[in-house]
Amino acid sequence: MSAPGAALLTRQPAADGGRGLAAQWLLALVSGGYAVGAALGWGSKELAEIMGDFGLSAAGVLAAVSCFSYARTIDRRERPAWLLFAFSSLMGASGNAIWGWYEVILGEPMPKPSLADYAFLCFAPPAIVGLLVLAKRPVTRAGWVCLGLDSWLIGGSLLTLSWSLALAHAARTAQSGAAGSVPSAALSLAYPLLDIALVSMVLVLHFRRSDTNRSAVNTAIAALALTVLSDALFTSPLLSDGYQSGQLLDAGWFAGSLLLAYAPWGAKRVHPAPVAPHPRVDRPHSRPISGSLPALTPYLAAAVCTLGILYNVVDGRKVDRMVVFTGCTVVLALVIRQGIMLLDNIALTQELAQKENHFRSLVQGSSDVIMIAAPTGTLRYVSPAAAGVYGREAEELVGSELATLIHPDDLGRVVHEVRRFLAAPPAEEPTTRIECRFKSGSGEWLNVESTVNRHQGGLILNSRDVTERVRLQAQLQHSAEHDPLTDLPNRALFTRRVRRALTGRRAGDHSTAVLFIDLDGFKAVNDTIGHQAGDELLVEAARRLQDSVRAGDTAARLGGDEFAALIVGDGSRDRSAREYQVHEIADRLRTTLSQPYRIAGSEVRVAASIGVAFADPGITPSDLMRNADLAMYRAKAGGKDRVELYAPQMQAEVVRKAELAGRLRTALHEGEFALLHQPVVSLATGEVTALAAQARWRSSQGILFTPAEFLRVAEYSEGQTGGGSGAAGAAGRAGAAVGGPDASRTAELGRWLLEEAVAQAAERHRAGHDVPVAVRMSAQRLLDRSMPRGSVEALLTRHGLPSGALVIELADSDPRVPFDELERRLAALRRLGVLIALDGFGSGYAAISALRRLPMDMLKLDRGLVEGVVESARIHKITAGLLRIANDLGMQSVADGVDLPEQVMALRAMGCSHGQGMAFSGPLDEYRLRRALVRGTFPVPGGAAQPALALGSPGGTMAIHRGSHNETPVPPT
């Protein structure tokens, strides 16, 4: 419970307690005022009679109404008792009212007997039954018998004593009177006899009362006891003859009625406020007395009975038959009760013995070790399970100090927990749990978990061996924090150690560094000799890395072929010296990891690219690891097998590329891309034989960026590197950029390029321009499983593009591409009339394999060969050889990047059939393309000729450009 809630609970009872205290003061004042008035005679006889009769009747009516109202608000179990109390008070009020009618209203003496006597006689029986209802009910027949016997023991003893003292004299006096003295004698004896029965119930209830609403019950008992006391004084020989209404004796009856009226409501409001439990203070000297009173009740009753008989004997009186008869019944009841208690004790003893044997067998047969330790820490009892758990006999452990059996490293913690537990309130913390290491018989330390309870100032320990569980937990923890293959710390543990290095006692040491390591060429190992060999290589690399770092440093595997190392700083403030030292460590790691690996009987080589980042002031663990990662990728982009230190401009470049990538995504979704076409011209006739589709990105200023501009953005967004060199070559790589990497953004741009190219080609065919369109696509793009099978076929059918009007330029020479699947895909496209061209022929090491296995219709020379075909004799010979291969295979040849007339003449002389480049035309928008197609041919330079069609105004000329990063201004179409 919260503190505000506890405060609320304690505040409300305090207010109720204040009101209850006021009611108590009012009760005391009214009762005291009545007593003072009665003692002074009320000032007149008439007023004394009114207060003595109708005053008592009003108090009785008030008690009856109060008990009846309270009975309607409580549960059914106690309701009959309070209804009986109400009826009892009503009878007393009726008797006083009748007495007042005769005395005050009629002015006549009370007849003997009268209705008032019968009303008073009806006071005690309901109260007696009500007290029996409130008593704690026995659960057995013997209990009910004992309850009746106890009642008679008390009542009979009081009857014996009362008869000896007064009742015998009252009976003889009543019998010696006039006629009708028998009813008078009966009435005179009925009052004390009923009072004796009521006193007996009060005493029995005192020892057997239930715990429900104890405060109200106690107050009601006190009210009835006060009433009985007043009745006893009234029936005594000293007061019975001289009693008059309004005397001081009436104050007892009046106070009893008011107390009974107050009992349910006042006692209910003064419940003690709930407070936090405090340690209980044992009081051994008071417990036996309070606990033994119920057991001593029969003997006390017998003693009272004996005193009544002795009174008659000592006084020399003749022993009355009533005394003898009552005494005998009391003794008989005592004997019967003792017999019942003896049988009950025998049964309890047998049950206790059975339970003791039961629990002993449980303790001795339990697999847990149960130990009892004295307050001094000495073991008093150890269960036999200690032999199986600790490997030590129980007798050997008994008498030894508990502290000597606990591991010294755990002893302080255990002592602290035990002291805290013993100081805590037992109601709040009945048990506690302690886990420590315990010495076994073989000298080993076992992990033991113990449940600790209090026992006579000492402790009871229920202990079990949890060594296997602790080992399993440690193993699971190790598995969760370490790489399963290399057993190096994983990313989570490495991140925690980096955070600890930055926030612990080394937080101000800025010489701490993080190294990110990537194995260059590891994927080729998996692809060539298998993943099992790759795993062996990773294990060996991890071992080398672990052996190369210092003892206080951390080597980790982050995943795949990526590793990391945390180089803890030495507190040096010389940044340059620290950078040199860490760079030297990183270079040594690079050299070690780049050494040949002996895997599966063969020698395997990989290199290592390492990025280093230092813990600058205020840097977070995530930022430090990100910086090391950026430096590692810079090392890979810079040629691999090298070490690169992080510099702030790396992050700035990442931000810039991320912004460009975001602009690319926005442009793609908002339709900012434009499609241009560059003519492919026959080198013999100048006729336009095909159109190469290329994408452009229109800027907000109306400038179309060339493929080389957004190629780098697309490649960055896919985690790739590379770029074009030269305007025509970069334009040709635009298709590869959008179709090469298999990712969502470039794949979407590739689909857009293909669909736009096919749609516009279909429109041109319908306009009478039957010129094929060439679209550059990568092998990965063709085999992309996210691309629906038959999408190219469906596209051709939807737009109605005829056979032979689409050329797919295969732009990928990656040897990892599955040639069998690629061959089937290309064969399916060729059956539809799609022409296949091998792009970049002469640049990739897999080009010959592709030419040998894949169905091709034409070869497209790489622009790197075309650029040097005039200046370099070696390139001239290589190009001539490649063209002879194409001619021998019956394939058409296309030269990419033909920008100069000299290149046109050289290529034509070598047997190249077609060319594409600035020597004829640059990329054209649809308007200029239609004009060029209407013309149909371009001039073929026989000497140093200018390009036939410039991108400026119609009929103008344009200077020849070699670069690929030029912006092509194209007016909106």
Side-chain angles (χ1 to χ4, degrees), residues 511-526:
S511 59
T512 298
V514 170
L515 279 62
F516 266 43
I517 307 163
D518 185 83
L519 299 182
D520 304 320
F522 174 74
K523 183 172 178 54
V525 175
N526 276 340

Side-chain angles (χ1 to χ4, degrees), residues 32 61 72 138 429 436 456 462 465 490 500 638-639 744 800:
V61 171
R72 298 178 60 184
E429 192 172 3
C436 62
Q456 298 180 357
N462 190 354
D465 183 10
N490 58 14
R500 186 168 56 196
S744 58

Side-chain angles (χ1 to χ4, degrees), residues 617-635:
I619 195 170
T620 63
S622 59
D623 290 342
L624 179 59
M625 297 174 66
R626 179 206 61 196
N627 294 344
D629 196 22
L630 291 175
M632 185 266 290
Y633 276 107
R634 175 58 64 90

Side-chain angles (χ1 to χ4, degrees), residues 8 133 187 804 876 964:
L8 181 63
V133 172
L187 285 177
H876 188 280
S964 63

Side-chain angles (χ1 to χ4, degrees), residues 644-662:
E644 190 77 30
L645 297 180
Y646 171 78
Q649 56 267 26
M650 295 181 185
Q651 178 63 21
E653 183 178 353
V654 170
V655 173
R656 183 184 66 82
K657 288 185 176 181
E659 292 175 352
L660 290 176

Side-chain angles (χ1 to χ4, degrees), residues 557-644:
R557 183 191 178 203
L558 305 183
D561 60 341
E562 289 190 358
F563 295 86
L566 173 64
I567 308 299
V568 181
D570 56 2
S572 175
R573 296 184 177 273
D574 189 347
R575 179 63 179 266
S576 59
R578 181 58 177 165
E579 286 184 359
Y580 177 79
Q581 180 183 6
V582 173
H583 192 283
E584 192 176 53
I585 294 174
D587 196 63
R588 184 173 68 250
L589 289 176
R590 181 193 61 81
T591 303
T592 302
L593 295 174
S594 300
Q595 294 295 323
Y597 295 83
R598 194 71 180 177
I599 305 297
S602 60
E603 188 176 274
V604 179
R605 290 182 177 270
V606 294
S609 296
I610 302 178
V612 182
F614 286 92
D616 294 327
I619 195 170
T620 63
S622 59
D623 290 342
L624 179 59
M625 297 174 66
R626 179 206 61 196
N627 294 344
D629 196 22
L630 291 175
M632 185 266 290
Y633 276 107
R634 175 58 64 90
K636 293 179 72 67
K640 303 181 180 180
D641 194 16
R642 55 181 295 172
V643 176
E644 190 77 30

